[in-house]
Amino acid sequence: MDHCDVLIVGAGPVGTTLALELALQGVSFRIIDKSPVRSEKSRALIVHPRTLELLDRHGTVDKLISRGTITRGGVLNINRKLVAKMNLDDLDITDTNYPLPLMVSQAETEQFLDESLADYGKAVERAYTATSVVQDANGVTTTLEKPDGTQTTVRSKYVVGCDGAHSLVRHSAKNLTFDGDAYPQDFILCDARLRNSNVARDRFTICFGDTGLLAFFPIQSSHSESEGEEDLIRLIASGGRSVLKHSPRSGSGSPVVPTEQQQRQHGEQTHEPPTLAHFQSLVDSIAPPGSGTVHSPVWLARFRLHHRGVNSYRSDRLFVAGDAAHIHSPAGGQGMNVGIQDAINLGWKLGTVLKYRDTLTEEAREALLDSYHAERYPVGRALLQGTDRIFSFTAAATSWVLKVRNTVLPWVMPWLVGMKWIRKRFYGFISGFGTTYSGLASAGESCVVGGGDGVNTSWPSWLWSSSSSSLSSRPEKVSSGDRLPDGKVIELGRSHGGITASDLLARRKETSLHQLCRGASWHLLLFSGIGGTEGRDAVTVEGLTLAGERVLAVVKKEDRGSRAGQGQASTYADPGGRVHGVLGLDNGSAGYVMVRPDGYVSHIGYLSSLREFIKEWETRVCI
């Protein structure tokens, strides 16, 4: 019998990301997948900005970006006419290196993840099928089978199911349900090239017609040296159960399901993949004139979509993530991204529990693992509800909804996309930047989110005493549980004799908050504040003494007249105080930010409460 701390079942993007997190944490794991090789199909296409930020913690995500196309917005056409253009590159998003989504084949994303995992000296074990998962009070026993029928048994402390919608791990847990339903429509897709086309290659294009929808998604720019070779693009259309233009209407307004004969007359084969000719007919009838000729297909498929969610992300020693926990419509391109972020949230928590098993109490270990469900379940639930509403309206299979959609949107959409604040709010949802765990501490649901949105809130009892109400005094712009905004800072280093800060600033050795917070550990950032000298003195004397080795960096407001790093740990200047302003520390008060390994703010407060914070941290967290 083989042994490891964690067994990961399923090596898609979610499982491989979890493997990256566990490798970073330095705990023993195995990752297995039943497929002998990676699929070459494109499948999920969008990697959203927050996912790019999080993956960059393992190295340069620029390698992945070079394999795809940055998306700058979208185009909406109705009945072959342009209705609206939505821009995403004018939203003034400056607190990240990755403000825009990436269109790239899932095959390329998986290759990038495999390469990153290889940098840790780890790899996926292929052609292993999990056939049995049985947990007990002390661990989990999993039976694996090879294609030749030979079996092996793995004993682990935990098992994580990243094995998709039909997850064996989820089925092996007695108390997990997966409620939901299928959408009534079939859909068809085609990855191909377009000749003589005016379809935008730096944005997605949605076309609505009386008979359904057709969408274009650029997959990648052509890297061929051959002149005139077109880029690869995906086309998705409503398929076998789309509403036909001349089909009879249901008096109740329910979906009109064409007969098989009607579908064949319109080029649809109910039990066969679509044809290139069928897609060309859709381009000619739904897309605007000049959309081009479809040719050289690399993938044609018909599929059905579901919306389902698990009732709990944890069952004792079993966990689920990604499609094993939630499946939904592709509206907004959320599925793979949310799954990857599930894995990142769970990875550092499993690593912490395993590395500090001798110092953390059982209560602390269980609370930390329970926080995975507490934090990710609301995200998955909101995703299911939000994408279902969007998808049910835009991909409607009922005749009356089609008419309402195609009549109302030409009037409404230009007004909506013309308002930047609406676009920015919508983009916060789809980009992942808006994901927050703020408020979970006050409800007692997450032990690694401090403070809250209300006054006199506190950390849960095992981590933070209820008497520590002074810690509810915090900056207003970033809350505990929010994503740590990124921002450029300039490294000043340690004491350099007579070298002044202005000398070092002139050298412009730049870095960023996200780069400073890479790694497996928590990071405590101290900020001098903007204003008088009181904040800076507090940082250099009291703050560094209290925090000791836990200080990663001191981010100071730019002060060209001071000596660089006199008697301090490594310090960083914040020219213009922009980082201070983003964090809400631009009111003259010094502050601190405790950053979790996944790049979310665990606690933010003013320096006056740092002594109490450090004391509680050392006595209760013990890591």
Side-chain angles (χ1 to χ4, degrees), residues 328-453:
H328 44 81
S329 85
Q334 297 293 297
M336 181 181 69
N337 291 270
V338 173
I340 286 174
Q341 292 171 41
D342 288 344
I344 292 170
N345 185 285
L346 178 60
W348 73 265
K349 293 173 181 178
L350 283 172
T352 299
V353 165
L354 291 165
K355 287 193 300 183
Y356 299 100
R357 68 188 75 171
D358 295 331
T359 55
L360 285 173
T361 65
E362 181 179 358
E363 181 185 10
R365 292 194 300 269
E366 291 301 304
L368 185 55
L369 295 179
D370 283 343
S371 72
Y372 170 57
H373 168 81
E375 293 182 351
R376 296 307 298 173
Y377 176 77
V379 175
R381 181 179 57 191
L383 174 68
L384 284 168
Q385 294 172 346
T387 57
D388 183 62
R389 292 190 189 102
I390 295 172
F391 190 74
S392 296
F393 181 70
T394 58
T398 58
S399 57
W400 71 269
V401 174
L402 282 171
K403 286 191 173 296
V404 170
R405 182 195 69 189
N406 294 347
T407 302
V408 172
L409 288 185
W411 296 93
V412 174
M413 287 304 297
W415 174 75
L416 288 177
V417 301
M419 302 182 71
K420 182 181 289 189
W421 72 269
I422 291 179
R423 281 185 286 125
K424 197 165 187 176
R425 184 166 183 175
F426 171 74
Y427 190 56
F429 169 71
I430 66 170
S431 66
F433 289 149
T435 298
T436 179
Y437 310 127
S438 178
L440 291 177
S442 58
E445 295 177 357
S446 178
C447 61
V448 281
V449 176
D453 287 335

Side-chain angles (χ1 to χ4, degrees), residues 488-518:
K488 295 293 184 182
V489 293
I490 299 175
E491 184 175 357
L492 299 182
R494 301 177 186 273
S495 177
H496 294 276
I499 299 178
T500 65
S502 57
D503 296 328
L504 291 171
L505 285 169
R507 300 177 185 178
R508 305 295 298 181
K509 187 176 181 180
E510 287 189 347
T511 184
S512 70
L513 291 188
H514 284 191
Q515 289 176 325
L516 296 178
C517 292
R518 284 181 176 178

